[in-house]
Every structure is written in structure tokens, then in C-alpha cells.
Amino acid sequence: DHPDWDGVSCRTTLIGWPRPGMERYVAWQNSLVTPEEMAAGRFIEIPALHQTAMFRTAAVRKVTGGRYRDGPVERREGEEAEPGDALDVPVDMHWWLAFFHAGLKCGKVKEALFGWRQHPRQHTRTHGRLSIEALRLIKVHFLLRDGAPAHRAHVQVWSVGKTVSDWETDLNAHVPPPLSVT
């Protein structure tokens, strides 16, 4: 139905350990159906679980360069480093930010075809790579990199307390930094 899409995903249901916050999160994810909605939501959180999606081979190659990103990039001898290589990234967040940064499209079928099992020890809740700090750093990288929405732009951060100061610090530490952060 959508030959212009580079990937397709589905909605998710939760199985197991019920948590109100996770229920709100999945409801938000499930509300993003069109490629435009998914792309617009990518800096809030991942717009779909990667387990729910299938992608065209050409799209996967364009995003990964033939390598699956799991943590910092280890370059082969003679390969030139790229911005963001050193980030110990959350795999799902990196995938979706890189996918949409590459100008690719993914939408969702309206059915919930995936059941996401919940339990207290899953990586979503326990792995350091999924910390607020790690998520913020990868978002900053994709917000400010060449060709990104805030590259060499003025950035406004709407928050309070430590959250706003952490965003200001990380935005200003990026090379190149935004024109201003307010």
C-alpha cells in the first residue's frame, strides 16, 4: 500500500508486569502512525519498538553502512572517524534518529501485532546505556549534526531545574554548538 515507505511497523500491546508509565508510553507510541508523525516524535522518544518493524535492505544499508550499531563505533584501521562515534548509544534510539536523519520513511499498520513482555529486570529499566543522560546525548547529537533540525540554529529548551541545565550543558558542549541556547 505504501511503496514510498522504507519500513513498516505495527502497534504494540503490553504483556506481563503492568506499569502506568509504560502504558502511557506505549499509548503515545501507538498514536504515531504516519511517517510524518513518527519522524516528528523521534526527539521525544523512539516512535516504535524496533522489534515491531521491517525495513527495506537498501534502507538498512543506508542507515548502518553495513554495521549494526551497538555502543561506540569501532573503526577499522584506516577508516576515518565520524562525529558521534564515541557515544555509547542506546541501540533503538540511535537507529530511529539515524533512520529519519537519512530522510527515510516508516509508517505503522493500525493493528497491534506485537506483544511486549514487561518485567522488572528488562534493559529498558536497568541498562546504563538507556539512562536519561545517554538518551539526551544521542538526541543532542542528532539535533545538532550537519543536516539536522537545529544545526547552527538557536535552540530553546523548555524545562526546569536540573533537566534544563543538563540540556544546556550538553547542547553547548556539542561541536559545533548551536548559535544559542535559551
Side-chain angles (χ1 to χ4, degrees):
D1 287 350
H2 300 282
D4 60 319
W5 288 8
D6 303 290
V8 64
S9 180
C10 69
R11 290 179 168 162
T12 301
T13 58
L14 295 175
I15 300 169
W17 196 47
R19 308 312 289 161
M22 190 59 77
E23 290 168 359
R24 286 190 303 274
Y25 172 62
V26 169
W28 171 80
Q29 258 189 1
N30 285 342
S31 76
L32 307 176
V33 177
T34 68
E36 295 77 19
E37 290 167 338
M38 290 179 70
R42 73 191 185 272
F43 289 108
I44 297 169
E45 243 299 345
I46 60 171
L49 300 175
H50 75 273
Q51 307 95 307
T52 68
M54 295 185 296
F55 303 95
R56 296 182 191 276
T57 301
V60 173
R61 287 190 178 126
K62 186 173 184 179
V63 173
T64 66
R67 291 184 177 151
Y68 183 72
R69 176 84 187 248
D70 186 15
V73 171
E74 294 180 21
R75 295 280 171 196
R76 295 179 187 110
E77 189 173 327
E79 281 187 309
E80 192 171 319
E82 294 183 16
D85 277 359
L87 291 172
D88 189 9
V89 300
V91 175
D92 291 9
M93 180 63 77
H94 183 273
W95 168 261
W96 286 112
L97 291 172
F99 181 88
F100 289 115
H101 185 79
L104 300 170
K105 292 182 179 181
C106 183
K108 282 187 189 134
V109 298
K110 296 189 190 268
E111 296 81 17
L113 303 174
F114 183 78
W116 188 18
R117 183 168 173 74
Q118 299 294 296
H119 56 87
R121 295 185 340 209
Q122 70 193 87
H123 277 184
T124 302
R125 294 178 174 85
T126 62
H127 199 289
R129 214 182 263 172
L130 302 172
S131 69
I132 295 296
E133 294 76 19
L135 293 170
R136 185 178 56 252
L137 286 172
I138 194 67
K139 289 176 187 180
V140 164
H141 172 69
F142 278 97
L143 272 169
L144 298 179
R145 69 185 291 184
D146 191 27
H151 179 70
R152 299 204 185 270
H154 299 279
V155 176
Q156 289 185 352
V157 180
W158 292 57
S159 189
V160 295
K162 184 167 174 24
T163 301
V164 74
S165 64
D166 289 347
W167 270 97
E168 288 173 340
T169 298
D170 290 342
L171 286 164
N172 284 317
H174 191 272
V175 178
L179 294 177
S180 67
V181 178
T182 56

